[in-house]
């Protein structure tokens, strides 16, 4: 990478970081330190603002870097990620958004605890939320390491280490100083930048092929080295029954996991009413849908213009496909246009990572303080709870940095697939049972969370991702006993089964009055905070 690339991209990085730190500083001077302000931004955002923020929270490094890279390497099978991420929002729109806004205050545990014994439910839901958030954070850290290493021309472990540490430090600053209001505005700015960058690249790719998408696909197939197989199912997930089951597992995790992601659920509390929450989701679906359609063009464009071998040569997991595509579209490595476009794309991707990690860190620190700390220290004051949340943000940042360095060679889209699988296994069953099953009990809620969370984590540890293959986290050892990369096919049904089993074997009966109150509040908003 030339010095021009490095200088320009670092300047753009610096501009974005300066702007976002300015937002954080301004917001921190105008806050009054309440839990509602820190966790929910005072519930003052409009549906459009929140829709942009949700899109900014959801369109992560996995989307911009990982999915495009998978499409560039595997064609049709990589495209399936885009479809899964988008379809998931129908579950959120029709089953979750309004009901969660009416039933809770700040976290997933608020919804479940409304009709259960609070302490065991909050501890279980808080533990699950932190686990999902840390897995999701790891993906963003890996993306940050890949991006900055490419930008600086440094592939050494030291370069990636400092990139990951820098992102972790910034996210702690954003969350601990600015809370939800600063995080939201950072996500809005990032969503606008990301949509602008994706639109520009998509237009340039289509112009290269004179608007002929068929020619783009044929060229991508030719340059992929796979021929027509590149455009057909099976290159990554169709080789044998294990690969096909892995695909089904991944699809289930992506479609069902979004509704259980803590940082997405927490966004519904930043608007004043349930109707506003639903309209926020409509805004976000429009933005996210447009974006994922563009990732398809960018992925096939990278295969056609850069070539699959060149993408794989730069980064084995494909995480650098879009920056390399931008470099080529601008005129090549030695051109001014290539330098500018590469730098802009790298800066937008870096902004994406910063905004997403801020949202996830805020949601996980809220779970630690509002659910775990408040449960263990009954009667804790809101101000002490907020102080704990700020400390928790730093601790979660340290854990995410460490795991991000460990997993730095894995594809970021795949890592997010694991986070979605855990969210769908542990969070979604307890959320749906709490909202829709009259007989659901406290034991059922606790069993549902742990019955999905523990199998998902154990199966990941025993999967090919961790050991037993050259691409594993620990390639030198082999304790692989579960054949699938993604545990969702097994762990999601186990989460639902554990919730049912815990309920039917419970000596306690469900509180009919509390269920009736929750049902009325969820459907009408009467009594909602």
């Amino acid at each position: 990478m030339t010095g021009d690339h490095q200088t320009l991209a670092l300047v753009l990085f610096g501009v974005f970081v300066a702007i976002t730190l300015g937002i954080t500083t301004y917001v921190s001077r105008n806050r009054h330190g309440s839990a509602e302000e820190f966790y929910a931004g005072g519930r003052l955002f409009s549906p459009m603002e929140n829709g942009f923020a949700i899109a900014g929270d959801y369109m992560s490094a996995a989307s911009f870097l990982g999915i495009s890279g998978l499409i560039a390497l595997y064609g049709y099978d990589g495209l399936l990620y885009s479809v899964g991420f988008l379809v998931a929002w129908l579950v959120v729109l029709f089953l979750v958004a309004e009901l969660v806004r009416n039933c809770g205050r700040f976290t997933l545990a608020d919804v479940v605890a409304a009709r259960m014994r609070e302490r065991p439910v909050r501890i279980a839901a808080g533990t699950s939320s932190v686990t999902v958030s840390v897995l999701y954070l790891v993906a963003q850290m890996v993306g940050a390491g890949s991006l900055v290493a490419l930008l600086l021309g440094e592939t050494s472990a030291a370069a990636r280490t400092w990139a990951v540490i820098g992102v972790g430090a910034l996210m702690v600053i954003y969350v601990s100083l600015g809370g939800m209001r600063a995080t939201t505005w950072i996500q809005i700015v990032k969503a606008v930048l990301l949509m602008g960058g994706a639109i520009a690249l998509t237009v340039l790719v289509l112009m290269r092929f004179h608007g002929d998408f068929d020619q783009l696909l044929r060229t991508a197939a030719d340059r992929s080295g796979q021929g027509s197989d590149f455009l057909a199912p099976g290159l990554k997930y169709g080789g044998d029954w294990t690969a096909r089951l892995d695909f089904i597992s991944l699809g289930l995790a992506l479609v069902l996991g979004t509704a259980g992601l803590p940082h997405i659920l927490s966004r519904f509390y930043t608007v004043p009413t349930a109707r506003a929450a639903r309209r926020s989701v409509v805004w976000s679906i429009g933005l996210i849908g447009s974006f994922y359609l563009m990732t398809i063009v960018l992925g096939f464009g990278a295969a056609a213009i850069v070539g699959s071998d060149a993408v794989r040569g730069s980064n084995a997991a494909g995480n650098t496909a879009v920056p390399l595509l931008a470099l080529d579209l601008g005129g090549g490595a030695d051109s001014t246009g290539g330098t500018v476009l590469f730098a802009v794309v790298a800066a937008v991707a870096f902004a994406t990572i910063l905004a997403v990690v801020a949202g996830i860190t805020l949601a996980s620190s809220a779970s630690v303080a509002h659910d775990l700390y408040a449960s263990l220290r009954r009667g804790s004051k809101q101000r002490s709870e907020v102080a704990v949340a700020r400390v928790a943000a730093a601790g979660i940042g340290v854990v995410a940095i460490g795991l991000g360095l460990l997993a730095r060679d894995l594809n970021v889209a795949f890592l997010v697939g694991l986070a979605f699988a855990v969210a769908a296994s542990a969070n979604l069953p307890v959320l749906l049972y709490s909202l829709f099953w009259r007989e659901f009990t406290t034991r059922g809620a606790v069993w549902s969370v742990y019955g999905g969370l523990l199998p998902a984590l154990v199966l990941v540890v025993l999967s090919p991702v961790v050991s037993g293959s050259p691409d594993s986290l620990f390639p030198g050892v082999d304790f692989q006993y579960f054949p699938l990369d993604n545990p969702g096919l097994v762990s999601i049904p186990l989460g639902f089964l554990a919730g049912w089993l815990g309920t039917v074997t419970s000596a306690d009966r469900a509180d009919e009055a509390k269920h009736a109150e929750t049902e009325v509040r969820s459907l009408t908003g009467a009594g909602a905070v």
Side-chain angles (χ1 to χ4, degrees):
M1 207 57 61
T2 65
D4 290 341
H5 289 94
Q6 295 175 17
T7 304
L8 184 57
L10 287 172
V11 167
L12 290 172
F13 281 179
V15 168
F16 180 80
V17 170
I19 290 171
T20 52
L21 287 176
I23 292 171
T24 304
T25 304
Y26 175 77
V27 169
S28 66
R29 292 172 56 192
N30 291 276
R31 59 176 169 78
H32 49 80
S34 70
E36 186 169 291
E37 176 69 28
F38 185 80
Y39 296 140
R43 310 193 202 279
L44 298 175
F45 291 100
S46 70
M48 185 180 78
E49 290 169 344
N50 197 41
F52 268 84
I54 290 173
D57 215 353
Y58 191 70
M59 298 184 302
S60 65
S63 304
F64 194 49
L65 302 176
I67 293 177
S68 300
L70 283 173
I71 294 172
L73 297 181
Y74 300 107
Y76 181 91
D77 281 12
L79 177 150
L80 295 170
Y81 270 90
S82 292
V83 176
F85 279 132
L86 178 56
V87 171
W89 280 95
L90 297 177
V91 178
V92 177
L93 178 63
F94 291 118
L95 289 181
V96 172
E98 287 187 70
L99 305 183
V100 165
R101 173 62 188 86
N102 282 335
C103 287
R105 290 184 67 212
F106 306 126
T107 65
L108 163 71
D110 288 336
V111 180
V112 184
R115 47 177 294 216
M116 310 289 177
R117 293 201 312 274
E118 283 207 29
R119 190 174 186 184
V121 167
R122 285 194 180 277
I123 291 173
T127 301
S128 172
S129 295
V130 171
T131 303
V132 173
S133 298
V134 169
L135 281 172
Y136 211 115
L137 277 173
V138 170
Q140 310 310 313
M141 296 300 186
V142 171
S146 299
L147 185 69
V148 176
L150 175 68
L151 170 68
L152 299 177
E154 291 279 350
T155 56
S156 65
R160 293 191 183 192
T161 298
W162 285 110
V164 169
I165 291 172
V167 170
L170 283 169
M171 80 183 188
V172 172
I173 292 171
Y174 291 150
V175 172
S176 59
L177 289 182
M180 178 58 86
R181 190 168 296 190
T183 299
T184 299
W185 282 109
I186 291 167
Q187 288 163 346
I188 291 171
V189 171
K190 168 259 169 143
V192 172
L193 290 174
L194 185 60
M195 289 298 292
I199 289 170
L201 287 179
T202 301
V203 169
L204 288 173
V205 169
L206 293 176
M207 284 175 60
R208 178 72 67 93
F209 294 93
H210 310 289
D212 188 344
F213 193 69
D214 187 51
Q215 183 187 350
L216 167 63
L217 294 179
R218 286 199 305 271
T219 308
D222 291 341
R223 295 207 61 191
S224 69
Q226 305 290 339
S228 59
D229 290 344
F230 190 70
L231 304 178
L235 199 59
K236 182 173 175 61
Y237 294 112
D240 52 28
W241 275 106
T242 300
R244 293 173 190 175
L245 289 174
D246 215 355
F247 163 64
I248 296 172
S249 186
L250 174 67
L252 278 173
L254 295 182
V255 171
L256 299 178
T258 300
L261 292 175
H263 64 290
I264 297 298
L265 294 175
S266 66
R267 290 238 53 93
F268 299 138
Y269 301 123
T270 64
V271 290
T273 64
R275 183 169 180 266
R278 189 179 184 86
R279 289 173 61 199
S280 298
V281 175
V282 173
W283 270 101
S284 63
I285 286 175
L287 293 166
I288 292 166
S290 304
F291 176 76
Y292 283 120
L293 288 175
M294 290 187 282
T295 62
I296 296 171
V297 176
L298 298 181
F300 284 115
I305 296 170
V306 180
S308 298
D309 289 340
V311 170
R312 190 176 285 106
S314 171
N315 182 279
N319 293 334
T320 55
V322 172
L324 292 175
L325 174 65
L327 190 64
D328 200 299
L329 289 172
D334 298 323
S335 66
T336 303
T339 300
V340 171
L341 199 55
F342 174 89
V344 168
V345 167
V348 168
F350 193 68
T352 296
I353 291 167
L354 289 179
V356 173
V357 297
I360 302 167
T361 306
L362 179 61
S364 53
S365 63
S367 292
V368 170
H370 185 63
D371 298 330
L372 300 178
Y373 173 77
S375 298
L376 298 174
R377 291 283 301 273
R378 294 179 181 178
S380 61
K381 296 180 179 178
Q382 284 196 356
R383 288 186 179 275
S384 68
E385 193 179 296
V386 171
V388 170
R390 293 195 170 99
V391 174
I396 289 163
V398 170
V399 172
I401 287 169
L403 292 175
L405 295 175
L406 185 65
R408 59 175 171 255
D409 294 323
L410 296 180
N411 182 280
V412 286
F414 163 73
L415 287 170
V416 167
L418 292 183
F420 274 66
V422 176
S425 304
N427 291 349
L428 185 65
V430 73
L431 181 60
L432 294 183
Y433 278 148
S434 297
L435 291 172
F436 299 111
W437 190 14
R438 183 180 300 274
E439 305 299 326
F440 198 43
T441 63
T442 299
R443 176 192 277 187
V446 173
W447 282 25
S448 181
V449 172
Y450 293 128
L453 177 64
L454 296 177
L457 294 178
V458 170
L459 291 177
V460 168
V461 170
L462 300 179
S463 74
V465 179
V466 175
S467 70
S469 74
D471 300 325
S472 301
L473 277 178
F474 304 107
V477 294
D478 187 0
F479 45 88
Q480 173 200 334
Y481 298 102
F482 181 67
L484 306 184
D485 285 350
N486 192 293
L489 186 63
V490 176
S491 59
I492 295 171
L494 284 178
F496 282 98
L497 178 63
W500 173 81
L501 193 62
T503 297
V504 298
T505 59
S506 174
D508 298 331
R509 299 295 301 273
D511 190 321
E512 293 285 336
K514 282 189 175 181
H515 174 265
E517 180 184 341
T518 302
E519 189 173 40
V520 170
R521 179 197 275 188
S522 68
L523 295 175
T524 68
V529 179

